[in-house]
Amino acid sequence: MASLSSYYTLLAFLIPIVIFLLTRKPKSKRLHLPPGPPGWPVVGNLFQVVRSGKPFYEYVRGLRAIYGPILTLRMGTRTLIILSDAKLVHEALIERGALFASRPRENPTRNVFSCNKFTVNAAIYGPVWRSLRRNMVQNMLSSSRLKEFRGVRERAMDKFIDNLGSEAKDNVGVVWVLKNARFAVFDILVTMCFGFEMDEETVEKMDQVMKKVLITLDPRIDDFLPILSPFFSKQWKKAMEVRKEQVDFIYRIIKQRKRELENPGSEKKATSFSYVDTLFDLKIEGRDSVPTKEELVTLCSEFLNGGTDTTGTAVEWGIAQLIANPDIQENLYEEIQKVVGWSNRKVDEKDVEKMPYLEAVVKELLRKHPPTPLTLTHAVTERTTLAGYDIPTDANVEVFLLGVSDDPNVWPDPERFDPSRFLGGDDQGRNDIRMLPFGVGRRICPGLNMATVHIHLMLARMVQEFEWCAYPPGSEMDFSGKTEFTVVMKNTLRAVIKRRV
Ligand code: HEM
């Protein structure tokens, strides 16, 4: 038995070395990559990252301090080039935007869930991406389209406040913030996506299916070492079951919408248009056929997933900061009262446009706690150089957003939560990349406007209706985070709420 285990240990040691020797490139072909921590043959820095026990973004933050604003991390067969400097990001994503606008190859599981990159976020830079993105932006996310869903938002906000109120009533004033915020925004997106209001049970079931999808897509060791994938056949089988559940469930809802379009009036609470309506006959550049059943499901899922956890997370961090900084919460409440005129009127999205302090609070919360500390992974369309280093086409180019927005050379005292940084005409336009929670350039988040409306509206309503206090009372807020698709609070936020009179 002992000799068998030593045999396996020896094999485990030798196999990587043999692969390394077989796959090593001749010196002349080696690239001049940015600096980074020394790694092992084959596995590179993979085990260092895993064994650090830190969330990936914390690990990267540590590396930035040692290796500077452009660095390399080798994760098995993947080479990550990580940028964390505003000027470099500007050069890559804006000045040379087209070159850096693609996405890298996917692992087999992600390929199934994205229908071979048939989504806005995963598509390589080219005609498919252009067609899908144009459709999503023009038909759903432009300012004029957004206005048409105002009623949907108002209804969801009322429900959100009611839910918080009744949860508090049943739990001596204590509520879960993220769960309620996620649900409220998911509710809005579901109606926008499928064109009719659903009962809470269906929305909840859909949310569970979507969560399963996100968990299934979490990175696994064989994403970085594909040679190990035969050992993950069970996980593959499970992933395919989740995919089937997702397709069956979502397609049933899509068919329900189709019936409504063919037979208007069959759904009592139908909206005049929805995202899925724009997809049925969508023309894709360079392709004759309209989206298939799986592609429809995939595109709808992208719409729901893109805006749910991101927005919910932002609201959770925002409320945590308002609890930790009662003076800021008070300033915000005063601004709300000033705008609604001390009446009992509910603050609405027109009011929100007149609230510079709220806007500053939201900017500061997105600077300090970008829900995704790294953008989605970019790739270059052809080999190039940046800051004097090679950037090959098969590298994952990662933009470390948190590294930009907490850079002490750009932000004085970056650790401090201080909305006043954004008061006084400091315009943070789309091309200002001192903070970029939505990314920047051609792949900038197309949901930026909608997400901003949602965050403003939710925080304004939450603060207008309730005073937010720490739970347990008097406790200090713990601002550590953990990655769960987005970076959420490590200790999921519970708060005591008191209805304002
Ligand atoms: C607070 C909320 C949100 C944050 C912080 C956020 C952040 C981001 C970031 C950082 C990216 C990657 C940009 C890049 O790769 O350079 C992105 C991409 C994307 N986001 Fe958002 N997002 C939010 C809400 C939304 C919403 C509401 C939607 C739509 C319903 C959405 C849909 C997308 C899509 C489709 C992409 C891919 C764009 C492309 O590859 O062309 N996001 N988002």
Side-chain angles (χ1 to χ4, degrees):
M1 238 2 229
S3 67
L4 197 61
S5 79
S6 351
Y7 173 70
Y8 280 125
T9 313
L10 188 68
L11 267 188
F13 186 69
L14 284 180
I15 289 174
I17 294 177
V18 172
I19 298 172
F20 171 68
L21 292 174
L22 289 176
T23 55
R24 199 160 77 126
K25 294 197 175 80
K27 215 172 185 178
S28 60
K29 286 200 182 155
R30 272 186 232 157
L31 297 161
H32 177 50
L33 294 173
W40 283 71
V42 183
V43 295
N45 309 108
L46 190 58
F47 295 147
Q48 285 147 275
V49 173
V50 175
R51 286 181 52 200
S52 77
K54 292 182 183 167
F56 185 65
Y57 65 96
E58 286 291 354
Y59 189 76
V60 171
R61 201 204 289 260
L63 291 183
R64 181 189 57 161
I66 305 170
Y67 298 100
I70 175 166
L71 61 93
T72 305
L73 204 56
R74 288 182 187 278
M75 304 281 278
T77 56
R78 298 267 175 157
T79 299
L80 275 56
I81 295 177
I82 305 176
L83 314 180
S84 54
D85 170 81
K87 282 207 185 85
L88 276 184
V89 177
H90 192 276
E91 180 180 341
L93 299 191
I94 296 179
E95 290 164 35
R96 298 160 71 201
L99 193 58
F100 281 82
S102 207
R103 299 287 190 212
R105 70 194 144 87
E106 295 281 15
N107 66 41
T109 313
R110 280 183 176 264
N111 271 336
V112 170
F113 280 84
S114 72
C115 276
N116 292 316
K117 292 181 160 290
F118 192 78
T119 57
V120 180
N121 76 86
I124 57 169
Y125 185 57
V128 169
W129 171 75
R130 252 191 312 277
S131 306
L132 294 177
R133 183 165 168 127
R134 195 188 309 127
N135 176 62
M136 187 191 264
V137 172
Q138 288 179 356
N139 289 320
M140 295 306 292
L141 301 175
S142 67
S143 312
S144 54
R145 279 306 200 188
L146 269 184
K147 279 196 189 116
E148 300 190 37
F149 287 100
R150 195 174 151 187
V152 174
R153 284 189 289 275
E154 256 170 31
R155 181 196 53 82
M157 284 305 108
D158 288 345
K159 208 154 73 170
F160 174 47
I161 296 298
D162 283 352
N163 286 348
L164 285 170
S166 40
E167 190 173 316
K169 211 164 139 208
D170 295 343
N171 295 287
V172 282
V174 183
V175 294
W176 294 98
V177 177
L178 180 62
K179 182 186 73 137
N180 282 295
R182 268 192 90 259
F183 188 81
V185 78
F186 192 67
D187 199 15
I188 300 175
L189 293 176
V190 164
T191 310
M192 290 178 75
C193 186
F194 301 110
F196 58 94
E197 281 177 32
M198 288 165 218
D199 56 84
E200 236 171 76
E201 210 178 303
T202 312
V203 178
E204 250 164 40
K205 170 74 183 143
M206 196 181 306
D207 188 25
Q208 279 164 16
V209 174
M210 290 303 166
K211 264 205 175 139
K212 265 196 218 168
V213 170
L214 289 177
I215 292 167
T216 308
L217 294 177
D218 265 352
R220 274 197 331 239
I221 196 114
D222 58 323
D223 297 342
F224 305 105
L225 293 171
I227 196 167
L228 298 180
S229 46
F231 298 103
F232 287 84
S233 55
K234 237 196 202 155
Q235 283 84 344
W236 169 260
K237 203 169 149 243
K238 178 87 185 72
M240 293 311 104
E241 282 165 18
V242 172
R243 175 64 176 168
K244 185 173 180 319
E245 189 183 353
Q246 177 199 22
V247 172
D248 290 349
F249 188 86
I250 302 288
Y251 197 61
R252 215 160 10 97
I253 311 274
I254 293 177
K255 281 197 296 195
Q256 210 171 326
R257 175 64 180 179
K258 228 178 179 167
R259 274 198 300 277
E260 160 65 24
L261 292 177
E262 286 158 5
N263 180 16
S266 59
E267 285 298 333
K268 269 189 272 141
K269 293 182 173 173
T271 57
S272 55
F273 71 91
S274 73
Y275 184 48
V276 73
D277 303 354
T278 72
L279 300 174
F280 289 129
D281 301 316
L282 182 64
K283 295 218 168 8
I284 310 288
E285 272 178 63
R287 199 177 119 156
D288 293 332
S289 54
V290 294
T292 61
K293 163 181 168 182
E294 280 76 14
E295 287 169 345
L296 287 175
V297 168
T298 301
L299 291 167
C300 289
S301 304
E302 172 183 43
F303 190 82
L304 301 177
N305 283 338
T308 304
D309 289 272
T310 43
T311 310
T313 305
V315 170
E316 182 184 46
W317 288 111
I319 291 293
Q321 288 290 4
L322 293 181
I323 293 173
N325 298 282
D327 49 330
I328 297 178
Q329 186 176 165
E330 200 44 43
N331 292 345
L332 189 53
Y333 181 60
E334 269 176 27
E335 181 178 70
I336 296 168
Q337 295 307 89
K338 214 163 79 190
V339 172
V340 300
W342 300 96
S343 64
N344 277 335
R345 184 168 70 75
K346 284 178 270 182
V347 56
D348 68 22
E349 48 193 79
K350 280 227 149 39
D351 301 316
V352 157
E353 288 164 16
K354 295 174 236 151
M355 294 185 183
Y357 194 74
L358 171 64
E359 198 181 333
V361 168
V362 173
K363 278 180 178 162
E364 178 65 346
L365 97 82
L366 291 174
R367 179 193 72 80
K368 185 103 184 34
H369 309 285
T372 58
L374 293 113
T375 57
L376 298 177
T377 305
H378 285 243
V380 289
T381 50
E382 56 189 68
R383 185 171 157 175
T384 186
T385 58
L386 185 68
Y389 299 108
D390 288 324
I391 314 285
T393 47
D394 62 350
N396 287 16
V397 179
E398 311 282 350
V399 180
F400 185 38
L401 304 176
L402 192 57
V404 175
S405 65
D406 74 357
D407 183 349
N409 296 319
V410 179
W411 299 99
D413 196 2
E415 281 309 303
R416 196 156 53 97
F417 184 80
D418 179 11
S420 72
R421 300 174 197 275
F422 294 100
L423 292 170
D426 182 358
D427 181 36
Q428 289 282 315
R430 278 173 183 235
N431 284 346
D432 182 338
I433 52 159
R434 288 182 304 143
M435 64 157 229
L436 53 158
F438 296 97
V440 77
R442 289 163 205 240
R443 289 285 190 157
I444 192 171
C445 174
L448 180 152
N449 289 337
M450 176 159 78
T452 314
V453 170
H454 288 166
I455 301 170
H456 281 93
L457 199 53
M458 287 167 103
L459 287 179
R461 285 293 302 272
M462 290 165 99
V463 171
Q464 183 186 33
E465 303 276 348
F466 307 106
E467 185 189 345
W468 293 79
C469 309
Y471 176 80
S475 59
E476 277 230 347
M477 196 61 68
D478 174 3
F479 280 104
S480 13
K482 63 176 179 198
T483 307
E484 264 181 15
F485 176 54
T486 52
V487 171
V488 293
M489 295 183 73
K490 191 168 170 190
N491 298 317
T492 307
L493 183 63
R494 298 182 82 185
V496 176
I497 56 175
K498 297 176 194 157
R499 208 172 263 285
R500 304 209 193 244
V501 277

